[in-house]
Amino acid sequence: MRKPSGKTIAAGILILAAAAALMLGLRRSPETLLSGKFHQAAHKGSGTARVCRFPDGNLALCLIGFRTYPGTDLEVRLIAAPDALENETVENSEFVSLGDLQTAEGDSFYRLPSDLDLNKYRAVTIWSRKYRVNFTTAPLIKP
């Protein structure tokens, strides 16, 4: 059996790299439409909120590296305000409920309505329905 030459190995690596690039080019990642960092309101909050459009056209709110105090009856809301530092802004804003907070620490994803007005709903808040408290908020801006 003959040992492959350096040119043969280089050609093989080049073909594999081209195939990988082609495959990666066909897989499109989600587009970030809006994003923001969580800040403290009643409780500390950290991580990033992103509104993403997937290649199939679906929209989702992605909480990445998220962390807040693990309270009871927490809800994820998009609010019609640029930010919320206290409870009153959340209570006085129109909102879209995305459902219960999936986890107080880690990544989570929430499907968004296809007809959501992203010019109107400009902040994400973690809201305690039971105590009517804004735990943490992320203002959403274009990246």
Side-chain angles (χ1 to χ4, degrees), residues 5-142:
S5 70
K7 287 183 181 180
T8 304
I9 292 172
I13 290 171
L14 187 61
I15 290 170
L16 287 174
L22 180 62
M23 288 174 59
L24 291 174
L26 294 175
R27 282 189 59 196
R28 293 188 343 207
S29 59
E31 174 188 9
T32 300
L33 303 176
L34 301 169
S35 68
K37 301 270 186 200
F38 280 95
H39 62 72
Q40 182 171 340
H43 296 281
K44 289 182 182 177
S46 62
T48 303
R50 292 184 186 143
V51 174
C52 298
R53 180 184 299 127
F54 288 84
D56 63 3
N58 285 319
L59 295 175
L61 174 69
C62 307
L63 304 186
I64 310 298
F66 176 74
R67 176 183 255 168
T68 192
Y69 182 81
T72 58
D73 201 26
L74 297 181
E75 174 185 32
V76 179
R77 288 184 175 185
L78 289 175
I79 60 170
D83 200 354
L85 301 171
E86 75 312 298
N87 301 331
E88 292 76 26
T89 300
V90 180
E91 288 185 310
N92 294 325
S93 296
E94 289 182 52
F95 70 92
V96 174
S97 175
L98 302 180
D100 293 340
L101 180 66
Q102 296 169 10
T103 181
E105 185 175 339
D107 299 344
S108 56
F109 304 88
Y110 302 85
R111 189 171 188 143
L112 297 177
S114 59
D115 61 346
L116 182 68
D117 183 354
L118 295 176
N119 292 313
K120 180 177 183 178
Y121 297 98
R122 298 308 297 246
V124 178
T125 188
I126 307 304
W127 178 253
S128 171
R129 291 179 290 238
K130 182 175 183 178
Y131 297 108
R132 297 175 56 193
V133 170
N134 175 13
F135 270 45
T136 181
T137 300
L140 298 170
I141 58 173
K142 292 183 181 183

